Amino acid sequence: MNSQSDYWSDAASRYEEEFIDPYHLQSSSPLLLALAKIDGTGKVVADLGCGIGPLLPILADQFLLVHAVDFAPGMLERARQRCANRSNVLFHQCRFSDLSSILREIDVAVAVNSLVQPELAELETGLRQIRSILKPDGQFLGILPAIDAVHYHTMLLVDRARHRGMPEAQARQNAAMLGEHSLYDFAFGSFSYLGLEQHFWQPFEIPYRLERCGFRLLHLCKAELSWSQFAAGADLREHPPPWDWFFLAEPVGTSSLSPFGPS
Ligand SMILES: C[S@@+](CC[C@H](N)C(=O)[O-])C[C@H]1O[C@@H](n2cnc3c(N)ncnc32)[C@H](O)[C@@H]1O
C-alpha cells in the first residue's frame, strides 16, 4: 500500500495543475504581508512541507538560513532544482512528527497548506514537534485549507442553480457534482483525491488545536483564493472568493499546555 509521502511524491510532477497554493504568493497575501514584517537578519526559518518550493526563494532572500522540509522525495527534488543557485537553503526529507532529530532553535516556522495529515494523532504530534524546534520567542505562521470555504462555495452553487430555475433538490445535486462533494467528508473535515488524504480545517478548530499543542493564536484571517480555480467561478465573481485560513501563532510555555494533554 502506498504511503501518503508516496502519493505526494507522485503529485509533484503535476503540482501546478492540481493545487491552488500559488495564490498565496500574490503580493496581497496575508502570508507574504506577515513575512515582510519579520526582520530575518541573522535568523533561521523552516519551510515545513515546502512542496516544490515556491516560497523558498522569498525566504532565502530574507533569512540567513532556510530549512526546507518535506517527506516526499519527488517534492524535494523539484524544490532543489528551484533553489540550485541558493547556498543558504538546506533540504531535509522527514515527516513533521520527527523534526526534532534534525532541527532546533528555529526563529520562524512556516507551513503552507501542509498541516493536512488526515490522522489527528499524527497532525498533533507534528504540531508539538514544530513547537519543540522553535525558540521561545519564535513565530509560527501558515495557511490551512478551509472546509468552511467549501460550504460557502456550495451555498453559492445551490443559489446559482435555483436562480436558473432548477428545483431545490436538483440544485443541490448540481452543487454536489460541481463542488465534487464525493471527495469530501464534511463531518470530519477530510478531502481524498488520487490517494491523497487531507485534513481541511474549520476556523474554530485552529485556536483549539494550536492551543492543545502548545501555541497561542495571535492572528487569524482569510487568505482569499481566485474564482478562476473553482467550478462555475466565472458566474460567481460578484461574490467574495473562497479562502484558506492564514494564521500567526507563538509558542507558549509547557505549563499552559492543553488540559487534555497529548492523545
Ligand atoms: C499542498 S502541498 C503544499 C506545498 C507548499 N507548501 C506550497 O505551498 O506549494 C503539501 C506538502 O506538504 C508535504 N507534507 C504533507 N504532510 C507532511 C508530513 N507529515 N511531513 C512532511 N511533509 C508533509 C507534502 O509532501 C507536500 O509537499
Side-chain angles (χ1 to χ4, degrees), residues 4 40 47 61 69 72 84 96 137 143 154 170 180 185 236 238:
Q4 285 300 297
D47 186 356
D61 284 344
V69 176
F96 301 155
D137 61 349
I143 299 280
T154 299
Q170 203 184 332
E180 299 181 310
D185 180 327
L236 301 174
E238 69 191 90

Side-chain angles (χ1 to χ4, degrees), residues 120 123-124 127 201 205-213:
L120 294 177
L123 182 65
E124 291 194 341
L127 284 168
W201 294 67
E205 182 185 4
I206 298 166
Y208 167 81
R209 209 166 290 293
L210 285 174
E211 275 167 33
R212 278 172 63 84
C213 299

Side-chain angles (χ1 to χ4, degrees), residues 108-230:
V108 178
V110 189
V112 180
N113 279 340
S114 55
L115 294 169
V116 292
Q117 293 71 61
E119 288 177 12
L120 294 177
E122 171 89 2
L123 182 65
E124 291 194 341
T125 302
L127 284 168
R128 291 191 177 98
Q129 284 276 303
I130 294 167
R131 183 189 167 285
S132 75
I133 62 166
L134 272 179
K135 288 181 178 172
D137 61 349
Q139 289 175 290
F140 179 33
L141 67 165
I143 299 280
L144 301 168
I147 194 77
D148 53 320
V150 186
H151 292 132
Y152 168 74
H153 185 211
T154 299
M155 173 189 79
L156 295 179
L157 288 172
V158 169
D159 282 350
R160 167 182 173 271
R162 288 173 59 233
H163 183 71
R164 293 180 169 187
M166 273 189 211
E168 192 152 330
Q170 203 184 332
R172 285 186 176 199
Q173 275 178 6
N174 180 263
M177 188 264 296
L178 289 175
E180 299 181 310
H181 285 191
S182 59
L183 304 179
Y184 291 92
D185 180 327
F186 287 105
F188 292 105
S190 56
F191 174 69
S192 300
Y193 178 61
L194 297 178
L196 287 171
E197 288 185 28
Q198 298 182 67
H199 182 69
F200 273 44
W201 294 67
Q202 291 279 5
F204 53 79
E205 182 185 4
I206 298 166
Y208 167 81
R209 209 166 290 293
L210 285 174
E211 275 167 33
R212 278 172 63 84
C213 299
F215 291 99
R216 181 182 299 115
L217 181 68
L218 299 174
H219 187 68
L220 182 68
C221 71
K222 288 176 180 171
E224 290 191 342
L225 299 168
S226 165
W227 269 128
S228 66
Q229 306 233 0
F230 287 85

Side-chain angles (χ1 to χ4, degrees), residues 8 15 49-51 54 70-71 75 94-96 112-114 117:
W8 279 111
Y15 191 79
C50 65
D70 207 291
F71 67 0
M75 293 286 183
C94 72
R95 33 193 337 117
F96 301 155
V112 180
N113 279 340
S114 55
Q117 293 71 61

